[in-house]
């Protein structure tokens, strides 16, 4: 259990550029020994799993529906929840850091649940937040997959040593 | 079942001004016959339930924990979920419009789940969102409790006639 | 919050005799001021809600799906969970006693979750249990709707005084 | 994803004999290449994970609480749900066969959810069920860990070929 668990979150529909980013994030997480957790479906989730698989990494998909067949083909461990969106909470609670790439309201809900629980969120081209017109800086920006993975793994490590 | 269901969401800790807003929102919802749904705890939730109760309205609290005693004293119908934050999804899915007052990341998760499901969100001094540096205008701003309740009930009505 | 909450559980498909029992249970719960909680769908749930409604009682339906329209027409307060069967846990945790009528494996899961949480279960023509060939007597048998409601409300009262 | 996923369910408190059975079931599942899913805590869950780990198998723990540290030391992949007992639904939906050893009402809820979803349940010294005084034969009895694992894996295989 001293493995590092990192979630990659983002839309089931995404741009080509976002796909490229997610795949590279997946590859780098796997190379550095982290286990990838995601929502198990298409788009960003599939791209990240594909990248991780190509480097021999482990991929976990927390599925919203009732059917393990709905997992993308790069998910090695499908968890079947039947909980719909409530599974978003499980995705973020099961990891020590989250990398958000693009995404819509589902992704925003995962970002929120992560921040609520003190789980660090690294953002690549994703949401930014203001509250009462004050910028909220909780989402840690990254400019590249490498920077995102570096920051995520650093934050996992610092959490662990502080445990 | 032709009753209108409206959620009031916001922090379990809040400012005096937010308390005042929530109580007034609760009062007006009750006066206009809407059923109030909330997360059942303190702060904004308690203030809204207090306002609604003072006008003879019905209040429902979707509790995160295991114990109905955790509900604030103005909750008439406590729903005990034991689901932790995953109960946030139930709060918003059980209503036809959401009024967000202030709030932190838990509130933001509820806003996100609502928008994801096409449930209108009216905001009073709450989050504002940008995606990829473009402002997202999905949260409908209101300047007063009256305006918030007007907008919420209008949107419920227009949904119903479009069903 | 000093109202009594009682769940009526059983199959969404049931015999005519079971329908009659459920409707009578619903009627008696309403007459005696208890609030009826159920899974919100057809069969036993619909019959119990119909009975309770006919006596002016309050009915709550904890729905498994995404759509309030799926509630039976006698549900006054639909709670939309989108959690599938996981909503069974909410049905039993939200009450102080459970009356089980007939039922299949879904009902058995609700009986189990109730017993696990120390919530009394009254059974009318329902499951019986043995563990390692020893009869488990936790389900309290009743021979009629009146006896079931009597026993359920007695147990709610004794819990309350012991609180 | 052509791996076989099998759940081992049972109490977090159990007898020495049940511990022995669970450990042997875990060992045999691992030897035969199946991935073990369980509730992640102590008792039967820990014994099964210990057995599987000793043979180099993969173990997944679907945790009820908020804290990955609550997993037993043989869980390699902790899934943190914070859903309390509602996580029982995930344990059984994530597998293709269930082996129940001993157990109390929590285990019975998992058996029920599995049977409700057509997921085969093999029983070792566990619950037996009757409905309206008719014996329900859905739980497939086994007399030894070997027989339980044989039956479970046979049923997974026959499901797969029928897909």
């Amino acid at each position: 259990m001293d493995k590092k668990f990192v979630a990659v979150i983002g839309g089931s529909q995404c741009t080509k550029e976002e796909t490229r980013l997610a795949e590279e994030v997946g590859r780098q997480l796997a190379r550095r020994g982290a286990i990838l957790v995601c929502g198990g479906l298409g788009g960003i989730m599939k791209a990240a799993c594909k990248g991780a698989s190509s480097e021999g990494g482990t991929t976990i998909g927390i599925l919203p529906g009732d059917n393990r067949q709905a997992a993308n083909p790069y998910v090695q461990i499908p968890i079947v929840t039947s909980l719909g969106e409530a599974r978003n909470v499980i995705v973020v609670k099961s990891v020590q850091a989250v990398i958000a790439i693009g995404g819509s309201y589902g992704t925003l809900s995962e970002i929120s649940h992560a921040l609520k629980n003190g789980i660090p969120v690294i953002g690549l081209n994703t949401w930014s937040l203001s509250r009462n017109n004050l910028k909220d800086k909780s989402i840690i920006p990254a400019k590249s997959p490498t920077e995102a993975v570096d920051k995520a793994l650093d934050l996992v490590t610092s959490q662990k040593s502080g445990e």
Side-chain angles (χ1 to χ4, degrees), chain A residues 12-145:
Chain A
S12 56
Q13 309 217 319
C14 63
T15 64
K16 271 199 178 172
E17 171 60 8
E18 288 170 343
T19 305
R20 196 190 60 75
L21 294 171
E23 207 173 315
E24 182 60 22
V25 165
R27 260 194 302 269
Q28 297 206 23
L29 285 171
R31 259 183 236 145
R32 297 172 65 173
I35 292 181
L36 172 66
V37 176
C38 71
L41 302 179
I44 292 295
M45 300 170 261
K46 182 176 170 185
C49 288
K50 187 177 175 190
S53 287
S54 74
E55 296 287 332
T58 298
T59 60
I60 299 171
I62 314 284
L63 296 164
D66 221 8
N67 187 348
R68 67 176 54 238
Q69 310 300 331
N72 74 59
Y74 307 102
V75 169
Q76 292 155 20
I77 297 178
I79 304 294
V80 181
T81 72
S82 300
L83 296 174
E85 284 159 59
R87 74 82 149 81
N88 293 7
V89 176
I90 305 176
V91 171
V92 301
K93 291 213 167 181
S94 295
V95 300
Q96 294 146 324
V98 172
I99 299 174
I101 304 172
S104 185
Y105 299 118
T107 303
L108 182 59
S109 77
E110 292 174 310
I111 291 172
S112 314
H113 288 296
L115 295 176
K116 163 90 176 167
N117 288 280
I119 298 162
V121 177
I122 322 298
L124 272 167
N125 301 345
T126 190
W127 290 94
S128 58
L129 311 172
S130 305
R131 196 168 8 167
N132 276 329
N133 300 315
L134 283 175
K135 206 164 164 54
D136 177 293
K137 298 188 172 171
S138 303
I139 301 174
I140 300 161
K143 288 195 179 123
S144 68

